[in-house]
Amino acid sequence: MQPDVVVVGAGIIGAACAEALSAAGVRVTVIDRGTPAGGTTAAGEGNVLLSDKPPGPELALAQASVARWPKLLATLRDMLGSELAEVEWDAKGGLVVALEHAEALAEFADHQRQAGVRADLITASDALELEPNLTPDVTAAVHYPDDAQLQPVLAATTLLAAVKRRGGEVRGDVTALGIRPGGLRTSEGFLDCGAVINACGPWAGQFSERAGAPINIQPRRGVVLVTSHTPFTVRHKVYDADYVGAVESGAADLQTSTVVESARAGTILIGSSRERVGFDDTMRVPVLRELARKAVRLFPGLARVSVMRAYGGFRPYAPDHLPVIGPDPRVPGLWHATGHEGAGIGLAAGTGQLIADLFLGRPPVVDPLPFRVDRPEVTPCT
């Protein structure tokens, strides 16, 4: 039986879109040119964050996602059983700390509270109680109890397992070549379908050109350090206040800010970096050194912990820092779900719901207008 929708891209965004559509009874096939969940999703930290987003459309989508993720995971656990649906969800909360410019951090948190975010301004001594290994140089902090963490690959594969349980299909090593009336051309032949969703992440711009509707999505590279197994623990997701500025920056050159957290495996994850270098995946020592230096400034005890490895990946960057979600008016049947940059893990649940709402004509979970494809920052003038 031919699918109603083919989702191109089996990362966390494509998987979430496919799951939400299949839950509503839509027949879905997901294809990926490589291994499902093996691209950008495999290079993510698993952040589910409200703390790094100023009031606006992306924060609204993040709030919808944070509310949806636990309910969605409970549904998947009931369907698939606890073993398949274990995605290491950890509602650990976030802690944003300032080593200087405490007033700016307090002002940012105040704006978020006005938008409905739980953002509790605490003293430096309170922060040290929450995280005893923090540097005493902290001047102020904000606690975000709703920040969370999950394991990205496990989450994506669990969503895809639900699609298959409902009768859908997931196919790796299949390349999408272009759209023509009635379906999708692929390296494995023509797929008849009623709609195609471009969920290709950093490669969404390339596929959009082949589909005849180019969008301005570029790769932005990020690197994460992983320590060896250590008794040193970080109880929350901890960031320095510079993280928000790095997320919002559109600069092409290297941006680094400190994000530190413990993983269930007993290691410490250290990020983050952002730079636009095309698809150059060279691992550069100065970037790794800068990440380590900033992490030790925040947690001096990390100087005694060795780094086991580093990994990097490409995130889908849109010039206006907003995802592209919805139908493309230029090509009937073409939809986009991309441009989430480093926030895709956290925004995936809300994105899938929004795609399903729009596709089925239901009231959307958030206002879709800011995410439309036909905005000047994303769609080149023709």
Side-chain angles (χ1 to χ4, degrees):
M1 183 180 297
Q2 77 177 52
D4 300 313
V5 176
V6 173
V7 178
V8 183
I12 191 71
I13 294 295
C17 292
E19 189 283 327
L21 288 166
S22 69
V26 178
R27 294 188 299 274
V28 182
T29 291
V30 185
I31 66 170
D32 196 285
R33 68 177 186 174
T35 302
T40 295
T41 295
E45 289 181 73
N47 293 331
V48 182
L49 305 182
L50 299 176
S51 54
D52 62 340
K53 298 170 181 65
E58 189 182 27
L59 178 59
L61 184 61
Q63 289 170 304
S65 279
V66 166
R68 178 170 166 77
W69 264 121
K71 300 172 186 176
L72 175 58
L73 293 175
T75 298
L76 298 177
R77 192 173 296 111
D78 289 343
M79 175 192 297
L80 301 171
S82 59
E83 183 176 350
L84 277 178
E86 176 52 63
V87 303
E88 299 182 8
W89 174 264
D90 188 352
K92 62 174 68 174
L95 187 66
V96 180
V97 300
L99 305 184
E100 51 191 16
H101 307 308
E103 298 82 2
L105 176 60
E107 182 179 3
F108 182 80
D110 182 59
H111 290 158
Q112 287 184 304
R113 281 193 296 274
Q114 294 176 39
V117 176
R118 290 200 294 168
D120 304 322
L121 187 64
I122 61 177
T123 65
S125 60
D126 291 335
L128 288 167
E129 283 190 24
L130 292 174
E131 291 290 347
N133 292 315
L134 263 176
T135 174
D137 295 335
V138 169
T139 58
V142 179
H143 179 228
Y144 290 87
D146 295 319
D147 278 2
Q149 168 80 14
L150 52 70
Q151 212 291 336
V153 174
L154 294 176
T157 53
T158 297
L159 292 166
L160 294 171
V163 172
K164 290 189 284 187
R165 180 68 63 88
R166 297 184 182 119
E169 189 177 3
V170 179
R171 298 168 58 185
D173 300 316
V174 179
T175 301
L177 302 176
I179 293 176
R180 72 182 195 206
L184 177 70
R185 292 189 303 111
T186 80
S187 58
E188 300 296 316
F190 188 74
L191 272 175
D192 294 300
C193 62
V196 173
I197 298 177
N198 173 14
C200 297
W203 299 273
Q206 295 178 357
F207 174 67
S208 69
E209 291 182 4
R210 293 196 294 269
I215 58 175
N216 185 13
I217 298 295
Q218 306 167 30
R220 202 179 191 194
R221 180 164 166 74
V223 175
V224 176
L225 304 181
V226 184
T227 73
S228 59
H229 191 279
T230 174
F232 189 101
T233 58
V234 180
R235 299 172 180 173
H236 304 76
K237 273 183 178 295
V238 182
Y239 333 82
D240 68 40
D242 291 341
Y243 182 74
V244 175
V247 169
E248 292 297 305
S249 172
D253 57 345
L254 177 65
Q255 307 277 314
T256 62
S257 55
T258 311
V259 183
V260 183
E261 66 181 308
S262 292
R264 287 197 184 180
T267 59
I268 305 288
L269 303 181
I270 299 171
S272 67
S273 69
R274 289 172 169 80
E275 55 184 334
R276 297 213 309 276
V277 291
F279 285 103
D280 181 359
D281 61 359
T282 304
M283 194 68 73
R284 304 207 316 271
V285 172
V287 177
L288 308 183
R289 186 180 294 119
E290 180 72 359
L291 291 177
R293 183 187 68 80
K294 287 191 170 182
V296 169
R297 185 184 180 208
L298 207 59
F299 287 94
L302 285 175
R304 300 185 296 274
V305 180
S306 61
V307 172
M308 176 175 62
R309 65 185 179 95
Y311 64 91
F314 302 103
R315 291 87 178 258
Y317 166 84
D320 59 358
H321 301 286
L322 285 178
V324 184
I325 305 170
D328 194 312
R330 297 168 293 178
V331 176
L334 175 63
W335 293 63
H336 301 281
T338 186
H340 300 74
E341 202 182 327
I345 307 301
L347 297 178
T351 297
Q353 186 175 1
L354 180 57
I355 281 284
D357 290 343
L358 295 174
F359 189 81
L360 296 167
R362 304 184 307 208
V365 63
V366 296
D367 180 7
L369 191 62
F371 307 110
R372 69 193 189 281
V373 65
D374 56 342
R375 57 189 205 254
E377 298 86 354
V378 169
T379 303
C381 296
T382 56

